[in-house]
Amino acid sequence: MTQLFKCRMIYEKLMKYVLFFDEITKEDVAKVGGKCANLGEMTSRVRVPVPYGFATTSDAYWLFLEENKLWPRIEKELSKIKNINDTKTLKQVGKKIRSMIIKARMPKVLEKEVKKAYEMLGKEYVSVRSSATAEDLPGASFAGQQETYLNVKGEKKLLENIKKCYASLFTDRAIFYRQQKGFEHSKVALSVAVQRMVNSVCSGVMFTLDVRNGDSSKIVIEGSWGLGEYIVQGRVTPDNFIVRKKDLKIIEKHIADKPVMLKTTLRGVIEKKVPKKLRNKPVLSDSEIKKLAKYGLELEKHYEHAQDVEWAKDKDGSLFILQTRPETVWSEKKEKEEEKISGKILLKGLPASPGIGAGKVKIIMDIKEVGRVRPGDVLVTTMTNPDMVPAMKKAEAIITDEGGVTSHAAIVSRELGIPCIVGTSTATNILKEGQPVTVDGERGFVYEGIIKAKVKKKEFKKVKTKTKIYVNIGIPEIADKIAKKPADGVGLMREEFIIATYVKEHPLSLIEKGRQEFFVKKLAEGIEKVVKAFKPRPVILRFSDLKTNEYRELKNGEKYEPHEHNPMIGWRGCSRYISPEYEEAFRLELRAVKKVRKKYKNLWVMLPFVRTVDEVKKITRMMEEEGLKRSKDFKLFLMAEVPSNIFLADLFSQYCDGFSIGSNDLTQLILGVDRDSEILGRMGEFDERNLAVKRAIQHLIKTAHKYGKTVGICGQAPSEYPDFTEFLVMNYIDSISVNPDVVEKTRFIVHEAEKKRDEIAKHLKKSAKV
């Protein structure tokens, strides 16, 4: 990576329309689209292997359109679409626009930069992928066609494929989805990712939840020989592996017959027969499955969201992550409970998208026939493709002969909320045109006739609990959406994300430049978005808890941050706030809080990584000097994540309103286990449910309550372990703050635990009287 970094440094001042991956972060979606932003983020910030490359920027795309005077002509064509369900007009318009783009010339300045960047990659074989600036975001998966060209070599071919990617922004499917989801065509640009090719022995996809039912405790990995495109297309039924997250145990294996594969050759990408000895052999060993699952956990942890990942294994045995994006279906889907149905089963397949749908069979064997699909039909085909999306939207259910749970049919059906069964092998032969059927996408059954079934929704919002159920949040932009959940407030608002994305520059650097007000303004803006969305419910803001290695990643950060061998227990939290080197910067955080509290009184604060009582004393004095004094409507909490917080809970209680248990750090420091250690993780050494950790929590709750202080928890454990949540309730914890996706589930678990706890208490009270 050193050589590549030097290459980038040589050319970075010359580049305007091209960025190398290590120059890009996830905040650059507007410049390079979601796909390229994630490739850059993984390259620079996440511990997963990514093939190196570069991206053309959205500015390059607009330059291309401007120099060729294309946009007025494109708008004129798009205006001809009066109805997005008019398939004929949609195809005509899309074809005309794509032709315009492919025939246009590449601007000289852009061509020069692309050639220079390609030279830096050694002019090797590369893959060329599109990355629309509105794609790979929740609810916008199809803002741009996700086009891929493999095994590209030579400057001429590279430039041609970049133009093809530009044209892919106007495929029928892309135009349909942008209009259907309300995206303005002029607001979506396109970036192109150019990556070194991986000579794929095998490849596939990975979801960090079970896409069949949304179970977030599992990871699903699918793979086949050769390139992964045949999995998405449904051309092959892949091997399927299910991995349990908590210990990376492989709990399910389904090895498929894989007769063909897609391979790269000097003549391009071709289909080849899989050697007989490999057809029924797993594409991955157990150790490789676990390594991939580990990468999946790293990505999910980093992005704080379930991920949809593409992977490949090189001929030398190395595993690579090709791209990642947010999983956009189950993360937003409300939990549903389907009523079981019974009847004559005509067909079985893989459950790909849950729900029950019934209608008359419409068999589509050719893309030219999609116009025959009417609303309420059950679409039956060999395998869907992107051009079928408008027809799929009309269907009541979808059945395919081929494909796995991550094939095109499965993915699109889940986003559209349509029941789907894939990999039936014989649906197009067994089912008859016009035949009435009922499709159970939850269990993978096709029944004869129309069977009425009711859908029951779990009404979590109606469940009341004595224990407060809060939510954890780090991204202000999703506050309005998360605020709609039945949470009692925000138990943990992380300040780090705002600093990294709104401020971007090291606080001490801004102070040196005299830009203190910029820091205060930007930090206050981010905080206010969350506080306003949740008003009048309380929002507990945790002051910045970046480690030295994380602060160094901010602009000019290396100038102010020391190199620590173990930043996890280094200069962080309260010790940073009171140090002479950083005190002024912390006071800016206090001023941002004061600024927000002038408008919203539901903002409270919390101190992270408190080591000593003296630290709290000094910080509370600083807070008072900045006009932030504890009161009935302004509370101060301490993170309980250091063993001293437990042993000295009686002393800490004198200077705060309550504690919030950080179960990750507390477990790590009590057990002496690095929570990021792969070896110890596999061994199950890091476990918040360890008896020592539980006893520490019991002691804290008991001591805090004795002094009239509240205790909550905002670590990861309650989001993952229902039994741990029950333990907390049994010990009368005051609040539990969890990830947004499990708020409803957690409240239900707490509700049941409280009933059990109160029954036990009632029984003990009666026994005492006797």
Side-chain angles (χ1 to χ4, degrees):
M1 185 60 71
T2 303
Q3 183 180 358
L4 294 170
F5 181 75
K6 286 179 180 177
C7 290
R8 176 177 69 75
M9 291 296 289
I10 293 170
Y11 286 101
E12 76 173 344
K13 63 181 179 181
L14 302 176
M15 298 294 191
K16 181 178 180 182
Y17 299 111
V18 168
L19 293 171
F20 285 93
F21 287 170
D22 54 355
E23 296 179 277
I24 300 168
T25 68
K26 65 183 178 182
E27 286 78 44
D28 294 319
V29 173
K31 290 182 184 177
V32 295
K35 187 182 286 97
C36 290
N38 281 333
L39 288 170
E41 182 76 8
M42 289 190 292
T43 300
S44 57
R45 292 180 174 175
V46 191
R47 294 176 296 182
V48 296
V50 178
Y52 196 65
F54 63 88
T56 64
T57 65
S58 56
D59 287 339
Y61 168 78
W62 292 118
L63 175 72
F64 176 82
L65 294 186
E66 183 181 346
E67 286 210 359
N68 289 284
K69 296 180 172 58
L70 284 175
W71 187 247
R73 295 162 62 193
I74 290 172
E75 280 189 314
K76 183 179 178 181
E77 288 300 315
L78 291 171
S79 68
K80 296 176 182 178
I81 303 173
K82 308 300 182 184
N83 181 354
I84 59 172
N85 292 310
D86 180 355
T87 308
K88 184 178 179 181
T89 304
L90 188 66
K91 285 188 175 183
Q92 289 173 345
V93 169
K95 183 178 180 181
K96 181 79 176 286
I97 295 174
R98 293 193 297 275
S99 177
M100 290 180 200
I101 292 173
I102 290 171
K103 289 177 182 177
R105 63 180 179 79
M106 186 69 74
K108 293 289 185 183
V109 63
L110 176 56
E111 180 178 331
K112 182 179 178 181
E113 289 196 12
V114 169
K115 286 180 178 179
K116 282 185 179 292
Y118 183 47
E119 184 181 348
M120 293 302 94
L121 294 185
K123 295 187 176 182
E124 300 175 0
Y125 283 98
V126 294
S127 65
V128 182
R129 301 171 185 264
S130 63
S131 178
T133 56
E135 72 172 358
D136 297 333
L137 297 173
S141 321
F142 304 104
Q145 178 83 24
Q146 297 176 29
E147 203 67 40
T148 300
Y149 299 97
L150 304 172
N151 226 39
V152 177
K153 188 170 186 180
E155 294 174 346
K156 184 179 178 181
K157 285 286 185 186
L158 174 57
L159 293 168
E160 285 176 358
N161 284 307
I162 288 174
K163 286 201 294 182
K164 287 180 182 178
C165 284
Y166 286 167
S168 74
L169 199 56
F170 295 95
T171 60
D172 305 345
R173 177 193 183 207
I175 295 170
F176 175 88
Y177 265 91
R178 283 201 297 275
Q179 295 201 185
Q180 190 260 345
K181 289 185 176 292
F183 286 91
E184 292 182 37
H185 296 288
S186 62
K187 295 291 178 68
V188 182
L190 196 129
S191 167
V192 179
V194 179
Q195 271 184 291
R196 283 177 168 166
M197 274 293 295
V198 176
N199 193 346
S200 303
V201 174
C202 61
S203 51
V205 293
M206 168 170 59
F207 285 88
T208 60
L209 51 66
D210 191 335
V211 291
R212 300 170 299 181
N213 52 30
D215 186 348
S216 61
S217 68
K218 299 173 184 175
I219 291 175
V220 175
I221 299 173
E222 289 195 334
S224 64
W225 298 116
L227 302 174
E229 274 62 29
Y230 269 10
I231 298 177
V232 177
Q233 295 172 14
R235 184 72 177 81
V236 297
T237 300
D239 292 346
N240 180 278
F241 309 102
I242 310 294
V243 181
R244 189 166 59 199
K245 283 183 179 177
K246 66 178 182 179
D247 55 6
L248 295 183
K249 181 178 180 180
I250 303 168
I251 56 177
E252 289 184 43
K253 281 187 185 180
H254 305 280
I255 310 305
D257 179 18
K258 303 170 285 294
V260 293
M261 61 181 169
L262 201 61
K263 293 289 289 184
T264 55
T265 69
L266 294 176
R267 291 179 288 120
V269 179
I270 62 171
E271 178 178 301
K272 296 181 69 175
K273 290 185 177 180
V274 174
K276 192 173 181 180
K277 63 180 182 180
L278 294 179
R279 283 181 57 161
N280 293 287
K281 183 179 178 181
V283 296
L284 294 169
S285 66
D286 285 3
S287 62
E288 289 169 335
I289 293 168
K290 291 181 179 181
K291 182 178 285 188
L292 270 179
K294 178 70 174 177
Y295 292 157
L297 288 175
E298 290 285 347
L299 290 167
E300 184 177 71
K301 178 182 176 182
H302 182 77
Y303 288 101
E304 298 183 335
H305 196 291
Q307 294 293 298
D308 170 359
V309 183
E310 292 183 20
W311 62 269
K313 178 182 173 182
D314 203 358
K315 62 181 180 180
D316 66 359
S318 301
L319 288 169
F320 288 96
I321 300 300
L322 304 182
Q323 64 169 289
T324 189
R325 62 176 74 87
E327 195 282 329
T328 60
V329 179
W330 282 105
S331 53
E332 297 179 355
K333 189 183 289 293
K334 292 181 180 179
E335 290 191 44
K336 293 182 179 180
E337 198 175 61
E338 304 288 353
E339 185 177 289
K340 290 185 178 180
I341 60 175
S342 59
K344 182 180 178 181
I345 297 175
L346 300 176
L347 198 63
K348 295 181 181 179
L350 296 173
S353 180
I356 296 172
K360 292 183 179 180
V361 169
K362 190 62 64 73
I363 300 176
I364 302 297
M365 300 302 292
D366 191 292
I367 188 61
K368 296 176 182 178
E369 300 178 325
V370 293
R372 295 196 300 110
V373 178
R374 296 287 180 266
D377 287 343
V378 173
L379 173 59
V380 180
T381 186
T382 304
M383 172 45 60
T384 64
N385 63 48
D387 293 326
M388 288 187 178
V389 171
M392 294 172 71
K393 190 172 183 294
K394 300 175 187 176
E396 188 71 20
I398 297 168
I399 308 170
T400 71
D401 288 341
E402 301 173 352
V405 296
T406 54
S407 64
H408 177 269
I411 293 170
V412 176
S413 295
R414 287 194 292 270
E415 171 137 348
L416 296 175
I418 297 171
C420 178
I421 299 173
V422 297
T424 63
S425 301
T426 57
T428 54
N429 292 324
I430 291 178
L431 301 178
K432 306 300 179 185
E433 183 75 13
Q435 180 181 9
V437 298
T438 298
V439 178
D440 185 347
E442 182 74 26
R443 284 171 283 278
F445 297 153
V446 179
Y447 296 90
E448 184 179 54
I450 306 294
I451 303 173
K452 292 184 179 180
K454 297 179 181 179
V455 177
K456 295 181 178 179
K457 293 183 180 179
K458 292 183 178 180
E459 297 292 338
F460 288 111
K461 291 184 180 180
K462 294 181 180 179
V463 178
K464 295 182 179 180
T465 58
K466 298 173 185 176
T467 308
K468 298 289 186 184
I469 305 301
Y470 292 140
V471 66
N472 301 332
I473 188 170
I475 305 172
E477 281 68 26
I478 65 172
D480 286 330
K481 177 182 174 183
I482 303 304
K484 295 175 183 176
K485 289 184 170 290
D488 297 311
V490 176
L492 170 63
M493 180 186 174
R494 303 177 184 91
E495 195 178 276
E496 299 82 57
F497 182 89
I498 303 173
I499 293 175
T501 58
Y502 282 56
V503 181
K504 297 183 180 179
E505 189 168 350
H506 197 287
L508 295 179
S509 174
L510 291 171
I511 291 171
E512 190 172 328
K513 295 176 181 178
R515 300 185 66 202
Q516 292 92 327
E517 285 308 308
F518 171 82
F519 181 94
V520 174
K521 179 185 175 183
K522 288 295 181 181
L523 185 56
E525 283 177 4
I527 296 170
E528 184 172 324
K529 284 184 180 180
V530 179
V531 176
K532 182 180 178 181
F534 279 84
K535 183 185 177 182
R537 291 170 289 175
V539 173
I540 301 176
L541 171 75
R542 184 182 69 188
F543 287 118
S544 61
D545 193 28
L546 292 166
K547 289 77 174 175
T548 49
N549 59 318
E550 294 167 335
Y551 267 110
R552 273 202 309 276
E553 292 178 4
L554 297 174
K555 184 179 178 181
N556 300 326
E558 291 189 0
K559 179 179 178 181
Y560 304 97
E561 296 299 322
H563 286 270
E564 295 184 312
H565 294 297
N566 196 344
M568 189 69 75
I569 54 174
W571 190 37
R572 61 177 287 201
C574 291
S575 62
R576 175 180 283 266
Y577 305 160
I578 64 173
S579 61
E581 300 93 331
Y582 200 81
E583 180 180 334
E584 188 178 356
F586 176 63
R587 286 181 181 272
L588 296 182
E589 293 183 39
L590 297 177
R591 289 168 197 168
V593 169
K594 183 179 179 181
K595 184 182 180 73
V596 176
R597 277 190 53 83
K598 285 181 179 178
K599 294 171 65 177
Y600 302 99
K601 299 301 182 184
N602 59 317
L603 174 61
W604 301 339
V605 295
M606 180 158 61
L607 300 178
F609 221 75
V610 186
R611 293 180 171 98
T612 68
V613 175
D614 191 55
E615 287 178 346
V616 184
K617 288 180 181 179
K618 291 178 180 179
I619 290 170
T620 52
R621 280 199 297 268
M622 289 167 60
M623 290 175 63
E624 290 179 7
E625 289 168 4
E626 296 296 337
L628 293 172
K629 188 173 183 179
R630 285 172 54 205
S631 63
K632 289 184 178 179
D633 71 347
F634 181 60
K635 297 185 179 182
L636 171 66
F637 297 85
L638 307 182
M639 289 289 292
E641 49 194 348
V642 178
S644 61
N645 306 148
I646 308 300
F647 299 133
L648 302 178
D650 57 333
L651 300 180
F652 279 110
S653 291
Q654 298 175 38
Y655 302 96
C656 69
D657 296 286
F659 300 85
S660 187
I661 299 162
S663 59
N664 294 340
D665 275 334
L666 185 62
T667 301
Q668 154 170 274
L669 294 174
I670 286 178
L671 298 181
V673 175
D674 180 357
R675 73 191 200 199
D676 295 324
S677 169
E678 184 177 345
I679 296 174
L680 295 176
R682 284 202 308 268
M683 295 171 63
E685 292 293 301
F686 183 87
D687 190 341
E688 296 95 326
R689 297 168 296 176
N690 183 281
L691 181 59
V693 180
K694 284 185 172 181
R695 285 187 176 178
I697 291 172
Q698 285 176 323
H699 176 76
L700 176 65
I701 294 174
K702 184 178 179 181
T703 305
H705 285 178
K706 179 180 177 181
Y707 290 90
K709 309 299 177 181
T710 61
V711 179
I713 187 168
C714 59
Q716 187 68 17
S719 294
E720 293 183 346
Y721 307 120
D723 59 331
F724 187 77
T725 303
E726 184 172 316
F727 157 78
L728 296 171
V729 173
M730 289 297 181
N731 282 277
Y732 291 89
I733 198 161
D734 300 288
S735 65
I736 296 175
S737 193
V738 295
N739 296 335
D741 59 323
V742 292
V743 169
E744 296 92 338
K745 179 182 177 182
T746 302
R747 190 177 286 282
F748 181 77
I749 293 170
V750 168
H751 174 71
E752 295 301 304
E754 284 181 346
K755 286 198 299 184
K756 187 187 296 185
R757 180 191 68 189
D758 293 344
E759 281 296 318
I760 293 172
K762 185 178 178 181
H763 177 73
L764 291 174
K765 190 175 181 180
K766 285 183 177 180
S767 299
K769 286 182 179 180
V770 173

